[in-house]
Structure formats: structure tokens, C-alpha cells
Amino acid sequence: MHIKILGPMTKDTEILLQNTAIAIKKLKQKASFEKVCEVRKVFEYGVMAIPALVIDETVLSAGTVLSVEEAIKLIQQIL
């Protein structure tokens, strides 16, 4: 599983990254993480609000900081 966090490294994107990492650990999954900060690359995903969560090239969330529980629910939908 490859996870990308889109957006400049602000407090919100860092929290989203941390919460997603915790969710992955709780689900006992393995994943690689990537931060995508470059605006042009963010827009290539069609995302208009940041931070955004992309898993295996599918945008799961944009414009919100997911809680650990919310991240778990989204990740479970794609497993």
C-alpha cells in the first residue's frame, strides 16, 4: 500500500500523516508514505482542498484532517 499526503507541510498535513500512520498500524497493514508538497503535483490529482489523502493513487479525502477512526474506516473500504 502506498500512501500520499498532499499539501504543504502545515500542522494539518502533519496531523493527517500521523493519524493515517496510526490507522495503518492499528489495522496491521504495511504501507509506504510519501509527502507531496509541490502544488503542481497536488493539482494533478484534481484536489482543490488540502490536506488530501491518496492511497494507491485513489483520492480518499480532501480538505479535512481525518481522525484515526475516520482514516481506519476509509482504509477498510479499500482493503
Side-chain angles (χ1 to χ4, degrees), residues 25-70:
K25 193 171 189 175
K26 284 186 173 192
L27 290 168
K28 297 181 176 146
Q29 297 293 313
K30 292 191 179 199
S32 60
F33 286 84
E34 180 182 349
K35 298 175 186 176
V36 179
C37 302
E38 191 177 325
V39 175
R40 184 176 39 134
K41 289 184 179 182
V42 171
F43 287 138
E44 287 176 4
Y45 286 92
V47 173
M48 301 309 249
I50 52 173
L53 173 64
V54 177
I55 298 181
D56 295 333
E57 297 304 312
T58 301
V59 178
L60 295 183
S61 170
T64 187
V65 178
L66 299 173
S67 68
V68 173
E69 293 76 22
E70 291 169 326

